[in-house]
Amino acid sequence: MTDLRSIIKSRASELQGQGSQNNATGSSSASSSLSATSPAAKEANEKRPGLGLSLRPAQNKVQMEHHDLKMRIHERLVDSIDVSVLMKLSQDSELEGAVRETIRVLVDEERLPLSAVERDTLTEEVLYETLGLGPLEPLLSDASINDILVNGSQSVWIDQDGKLVETPIRFKDDKHLLHIISRIVARIGRRIDEASPIVDARLPDGSRVNAIIPPLALDGPVLSIRRFRPVPFNVDDLIEKGALSQEMAEFLKKAVQARLNILISGGTSAGKTTLLNVMSSHISEAERIVTIEDTAELRLQQRHVIRLESRPANLEGEGAVRQRELVKNALRMRPDRIIVGEVRGAEALDMLQAMNTGHEGSLTTVHANTARDALARIETLVLLSGVDLSQRSIREQIGAAFDLVVQVKRLSDGKRRVVSISEITGVQEGVIAMQDLYEFKATLKEGGELTGRHQACGIRPAKSQRFQEMGVELPTELFQNVEASQA
Ligand SMILES: Nc1ncnc2c1ncn2[C@@H]1O[C@H](COP(=O)(O)OP(=O)(O)O)[C@@H](O)[C@H]1O
Ligand SMILES: [Mg+2]
């Protein structure tokens, strides 16, 4: 590593046409990656005069020329240093300084009539091209953006407050986009090309990326980024956002404390992981928690947490470690709680068996649109494990294992809400019996605007005894149906 650094530095000073030591060092603020854009860059962005690129499509002549210039300098930079090695080191601000200096020299060499500000802007943009995410950078400094979705070079969408909005951002062409994608995945030691055209990974800053490229993606490379929230939502945030009522939050907290097995169900991006994270925060500090995820997203605050992450197969198709193996292994680690980020496969069976053999208080999520579907989905996943059990006994196991199903949903107004909390009360004749304890009652106002409220259904949980046994009180008020009591 030191070698590389000195290579880059010597190259930078060489380009400066003198042997003077690195005045490059320390000249930069922290690199961008997926966190906020560096202050210097932001400033340059705001000042940029007539060179506007970022939020406007590069369609007019000046912009195209600017883009070409930027790419030319970028290419020359790539020629002069080994960018793929550089990527892995780009956290290092010293290194960024050296690159910045090299760019500056290259910009100077272009001998263009640029003002100092324009020159700085150009330097920052080339730096983004090299170390950052190119045209996507302006989106990354905007904390209100949840998801960034790139569908080929000419179509970039964002999820802002639960709604999808198209941005005017464009990449030059698919090659440009592919280049940026390759760089993102190279940073985390992965590769993307025709031979392995899918990458799903977590970036060092916690953001999740998925990239899928041709030939699997038919209309150009597709990149989906789920932004990392520097401060995760807590239960008060969710109540304030109207995701659930105070009573529901209180009940879920007690359910976690009473070690109920809870399944959170919802569609893509409905808020499952967020709710799982919030609910996990109610687990006591005294417990040993093992989390198992395909891409680690949970952020538990307890001190005694062991985080496990599955591993995809390598290029030769070997070395995969699936969630199932991790669940099996977790059981040998004397866990008090096992949290599986999302059940997607055969691990469903091992979880069920664990829950039915004394590992209570498990929390997990599953992809389904209703509480009922969630149970059916678990059933399907158990069948995938190849176990030789009748449908009836699988259902019996599911009914015995889970206590609650919490359904989350993103409704038409873009808001993510808990739409029901259902209790599993038993299995009769191969049918799992459930009752709703809470629900979200939606009403459409005139003009199609959505309102509604969360309410208790007026039923005390059949499993109240379990709470008592665990020393958790369940005040009757939590379950009172306000409407009914007013009538
Ligand atoms: N109640 C909420 N209000 C606003 N945003 C939310 C809420 N719950 C989750 N989010 C945001 O929505 C996105 C998707 O949430 P996530 O929990 O990852 O969904 P899922 O696990 O269902 O795919 C994240 O960016 C998250 O920060
Ligand atoms: Mg999730």
Side-chain angles (χ1 to χ4, degrees):
M1 292 212 173
T2 356
D3 276 1
L4 177 89
R5 248 178 257 177
S6 56
I7 290 168
I8 293 166
K9 274 184 198 148
S10 63
R11 182 70 184 141
S13 20
E14 203 180 290
L15 283 161
Q16 281 164 51
Q18 35 157 307
S20 86
Q21 274 305 310
N22 47 69
N23 45 7
T25 322
S27 68
S28 64
S29 42
S31 166
S32 42
S33 90
L34 269 176
S35 56
T37 314
S38 75
K42 249 188 227 156
E43 206 184 327
N45 255 330
E46 277 150 23
K47 282 193 210 149
R48 86 177 41 168
L51 280 173
L53 160 104
S54 49
L55 279 166
R56 263 159 282 140
Q59 267 156 359
N60 69 39
K61 190 160 166 279
V62 178
Q63 285 168 346
M64 287 311 278
E65 275 171 8
H66 176 70
H67 189 275
D68 289 346
L69 172 65
K70 207 174 69 184
M71 294 314 278
R72 191 159 68 238
I73 294 175
H74 177 236
E75 265 163 37
R76 289 186 56 199
L77 181 75
V78 175
D79 285 347
S80 58
I81 52 181
D82 183 350
V83 178
S84 73
V85 185
L86 189 71
M87 283 320 107
K88 292 177 192 141
L89 304 174
S90 61
Q91 300 289 9
D92 191 321
S93 63
E94 233 182 63
L95 194 72
E96 187 188 317
V99 174
R100 189 187 296 272
E101 217 43 50
T102 312
I103 296 169
R104 207 162 272 159
V105 174
L106 292 170
V107 170
D108 282 348
E109 282 181 4
E110 289 282 330
R111 289 188 201 293
L112 293 160
L114 294 176
S115 73
V117 173
E118 287 167 332
R119 193 180 310 239
D120 282 350
T121 306
L122 187 63
T123 306
E124 287 305 328
E125 286 179 358
V126 176
L127 194 68
Y128 288 167
E129 286 294 334
T130 315
L131 299 178
L133 299 187
L136 297 179
E137 285 286 344
L139 300 179
L140 298 166
S141 52
D142 186 341
S144 72
I145 297 175
N146 277 336
D147 295 321
I148 301 173
L149 309 163
V150 183
N151 315 332
S153 62
Q154 303 304 308
S155 170
V156 179
W157 295 72
I158 53 175
D159 174 327
Q160 208 156 20
D161 303 321
K163 294 219 163 116
L164 278 183
V165 185
E166 184 165 16
T167 73
I169 288 176
R170 302 283 181 272
F171 291 79
K172 189 173 173 228
D173 49 30
D174 283 354
K175 202 171 142 231
H176 181 203
L177 171 56
L178 188 60
H179 183 74
I180 302 267
I181 293 176
S182 306
R183 197 164 53 221
I184 295 172
V185 304
R187 271 185 89 130
I188 41 182
R190 306 274 288 276
R191 215 174 82 192
I192 190 158
D193 51 30
E194 268 193 31
S196 71
I198 298 182
V199 170
D200 191 39
R202 176 174 44 90
L203 297 186
D205 79 342
S207 298
R208 263 183 66 176
V209 288
N210 175 277
I212 178 160
I213 65 169
L216 299 187
L218 298 181
D219 301 310
V222 178
L223 176 67
S224 313
I225 302 176
R226 160 127 338 143
R227 297 285 303 286
F228 173 84
R229 293 183 59 80
V231 185
F233 285 130
N234 60 28
V235 67
D236 293 328
D237 296 328
L238 293 190
I239 293 171
E240 197 225 329
K241 288 183 171 298
L244 74 180
S245 68
Q246 189 88 48
E247 288 76 28
M248 290 160 87
E250 192 61 30
F251 171 67
L252 289 179
K253 177 178 176 181
K254 287 174 182 293
V256 171
Q257 289 169 343
R259 306 186 63 87
L260 264 58
N261 291 319
I262 304 174
L263 179 63
I264 298 171
S265 153
T268 305
S269 191
K272 300 183 293 295
T273 304
T274 304
L275 184 63
L276 178 61
N277 201 56
V278 164
M279 285 172 54
S280 307
S281 70
H282 301 310
I283 298 173
S284 120
E285 277 284 350
E287 299 186 47
R288 176 169 164 88
I289 308 168
V290 182
T291 68
I292 294 164
E293 294 172 272
D294 274 334
T295 35
E297 288 181 283
L298 292 171
R299 284 179 281 168
L300 301 197
Q301 299 305 310
Q302 290 88 339
R303 285 183 52 234
H304 201 153
V305 180
I306 292 126
R307 302 191 306 146
L308 305 178
E309 191 179 61
S310 63
R311 186 172 72 183
N314 64 16
L315 284 179
E316 288 74 43
E318 293 159 356
V321 179
R322 312 216 178 278
Q323 288 198 136
R324 182 168 199 187
E325 275 108 0
L326 297 180
V327 170
K328 283 184 178 155
N329 195 72
L331 292 169
R332 301 184 191 122
M333 296 169 74
R334 195 221 163 269
D336 287 314
R337 302 261 191 173
I338 297 177
I339 301 179
V340 176
E342 181 173 338
V343 270
R344 300 164 205 240
E347 67 277 3
L349 174 69
D350 304 85
M351 282 203 70
L352 278 190
Q353 290 178 339
M355 287 188 250
N356 284 330
T357 51
H359 290 278
E360 284 161 354
S362 296
L363 303 172
T364 189
T365 76
V366 71
H367 190 129
N369 289 329
T370 65
R372 239 325 119 208
D373 286 355
L375 300 178
R377 175 91 186 123
I378 298 281
E379 193 178 312
T380 309
L381 294 177
V382 169
L383 286 169
L384 278 182
S385 71
V387 70
D388 191 16
L389 279 177
S390 70
Q391 188 185 46
R392 190 172 174 142
S393 54
I394 292 176
R395 287 191 184 167
E396 266 157 20
Q397 287 216 23
I398 294 174
F402 287 105
D403 299 302
L404 291 181
V405 183
V406 183
Q407 182 69 37
V408 293
K409 201 165 196 167
R410 190 163 45 134
L411 297 178
S412 60
D413 59 354
K415 284 203 182 145
R416 295 166 166 100
R417 297 183 178 88
V418 175
V419 294
S420 64
I421 301 178
S422 320
E423 180 188 22
I424 294 180
T425 51
V427 190
Q428 280 120 29
E429 318 253 322
V431 179
I432 300 174
M434 278 202 284
Q435 63 179 10
D436 283 356
L437 301 177
Y438 296 90
E439 62 178 3
F440 178 74
K441 237 184 151 175
T443 34
L444 269 189
K445 277 211 254 178
E446 259 176 71
E449 195 195 327
L450 186 94
T451 57
R453 57 191 182 79
H454 287 104
Q455 61 180 31
C457 300
I459 302 173
R460 256 186 95 80
K463 290 179 180 165
S464 297
Q465 186 70 23
R466 284 270 299 279
F467 290 79
Q468 246 172 28
E469 283 163 13
M470 296 299 295
V472 180
E473 262 189 79
L474 271 190
T476 306
E477 298 87 82
L478 280 186
F479 307 104
Q480 254 160 20
N481 181 303
V482 184
E483 240 172 29
S485 60
Q486 275 167 353

